[in-house]
Amino acid sequence: MATPLPHDRLGGIEVFVQAAEAGSFALAAERLNLTRSAVGKSIARLEARLGARLFHRTTRQQSLTDAGQAYYDRCVRALAELYDAEAELDSGRRSPQGRLRVSAPVVFGRHCVAPVLRELAARHPQLQIEISFNDRVVDLIEEGYDLGIRIGALPDSASLVARRLGLQTMGIGASPAYIAAHGRPQTLDEMRQHVGVAYARGGVEKGWSLMEADGEVVQLRVPPRLRMDDLQAIADAAIAGAGLAWLPCWMLSHYVRTGELDVLMHGDRMAAQPVHAVWPQARYLPSKTRTAIDALAERVPAMLATW
């Protein structure tokens, strides 16, 4: 008969693996929803039990010792088997439960993802949803996310699976006051004579992608008066009369209905961007992830189809 494991042994292993993959106790604590002190104590207990030092610790970084690396390799394989077993059992559940960590772009996440997941959490009391809003491309596996939302073409990946949620089309708008003062541009050349509010991250400005009659994608660059890395701030600036703005149609249409913006161009002339739900490749998809993907696939397409 096998000797039973102490009740906290597997918990210590999971904390150790997260700390090794995160590269810091602080980041591991964030992923596990623990304090840094709790992570440090768990690692210390594990090292005491094993009689081996698992991490080299300095004031600036931590890294695995040779013994730590060997132990990590074994732990990863063991945990993978346990996760697969749990996911296989969980995949047959009707009601999702547990913590679901989701990463989404800031404005799209607030307007199109959060409402869907908020309703999902209300329907399933045992499901806890954590949403992080960030416009950078998050490494789902490295940062411990169950699900991510991506806008734009996806690179090939052997570690991620994707489901398309729809197409995001863009439009160009300006405030009625701006148009009254500067005129309504009708052509691309006329738009280039105006000023714009551009989206830029890390000093890199994003062009406005349009399609010619032959299907060729061209970049329209309107001289920017302002550069921002937040779509809501860009929309607010356009409403205030700062210039032309290139915005998602699901967002632009709202301000057209309220009369705060006029649409100058949208539809077939604008290059569309695919929207995907992406998640780490696994043999079995937990019910919490599958339920969230299905809810988004049901609701998001209608949100994108604004015109």
Side-chain angles (χ1 to χ4, degrees):
M1 181 176 179
T3 302
L5 294 173
H7 75 279
D8 65 340
R9 180 166 289 184
L10 291 180
I13 290 175
E14 185 172 25
V15 171
F16 162 68
V17 169
Q18 285 288 348
E21 293 179 347
S24 77
F25 289 0
L27 184 54
E30 181 180 340
R31 294 180 184 177
L32 293 166
N33 199 27
L34 298 172
T35 64
R36 187 189 185 287
S37 175
V39 170
K41 289 177 180 178
S42 178
I43 297 298
R45 286 195 298 270
L46 182 60
E47 289 178 327
R49 189 173 76 235
L50 297 173
R53 193 168 185 82
L54 300 175
F55 288 97
H56 295 297
R57 298 175 179 85
T58 69
T59 56
R60 293 188 176 181
Q61 63 181 3
Q62 66 184 43
S63 59
L64 289 171
T65 63
D66 291 343
Q69 184 64 56
Y71 190 60
Y72 168 79
D73 293 339
R74 292 289 190 94
C75 288
V76 167
R77 291 195 293 270
L79 286 177
E81 289 295 326
L82 287 173
Y83 292 155
D84 276 349
E86 289 180 1
E88 182 179 8
L89 292 173
D90 180 69
S91 64
R93 290 181 179 147
R94 292 186 178 181
S95 181
Q97 58 183 286
R99 185 170 70 140
L100 179 72
R101 299 190 71 222
V102 181
S103 172
V106 177
V107 179
F108 185 84
R110 289 174 182 166
H111 288 266
C112 300
V113 177
V116 177
L117 298 185
R118 189 167 61 239
E119 292 178 8
L120 192 67
R123 292 200 303 270
H124 301 285
Q126 292 183 301
L127 180 63
Q128 300 92 43
I129 300 178
E130 176 184 316
I131 310 174
S132 175
F133 302 99
N134 201 310
D135 285 335
R136 68 180 174 87
V137 178
V138 170
D139 187 323
L140 301 181
I141 297 173
E142 180 69 20
E143 299 183 43
Y145 286 97
D146 301 294
L147 182 64
I149 305 300
R150 300 276 170 82
I151 300 175
L154 294 177
D156 292 335
S157 174
S159 59
L160 296 176
V161 183
R163 179 172 176 180
R164 184 159 145 168
L165 302 179
L167 285 173
Q168 175 178 271
T169 57
M170 306 296 288
I172 300 173
S175 71
Y178 177 89
I179 294 172
H182 303 281
R184 177 185 290 271
Q186 303 289 338
T187 66
L188 299 188
D189 285 339
E190 289 179 1
M191 288 186 185
R192 292 187 180 100
Q193 306 307 311
H194 286 254
V195 295
V197 185
Y199 184 96
R201 280 184 65 85
V204 179
E205 182 181 327
K206 188 172 184 179
W208 300 0
S209 300
L210 293 94
M211 294 181 65
E212 298 283 21
D214 60 2
E216 181 183 357
V217 177
V218 298
Q219 297 293 311
L220 171 65
R221 295 196 178 276
V222 178
R225 175 177 294 168
L226 294 170
R227 293 181 178 88
M228 302 179 178
D229 66 356
D230 181 87
L231 284 176
Q232 187 61 60
I234 290 173
D236 292 342
I239 290 168
L244 278 56
W246 192 63
L247 296 167
C249 284
W250 58 263
M251 188 178 190
L252 177 59
S253 63
H254 167 74
Y255 294 114
V256 171
R257 288 194 297 270
T258 63
E260 294 171 281
L261 291 175
D262 278 353
V263 61
L264 302 176
M265 184 178 292
H266 75 283
D268 294 341
R269 292 296 307 276
M270 314 302 285
Q273 300 171 300
V275 180
H276 289 92
V278 297
W279 61 93
Q281 172 74 55
R283 206 178 321 179
Y284 303 100
L285 187 63
S287 62
K288 62 181 182 180
T289 309
R290 185 184 63 251
T291 302
I293 294 167
D294 289 344
L296 291 166
E298 179 182 356
R299 294 280 307 281
V300 169
M303 299 177 181
L304 294 173
T306 54
W307 272 308

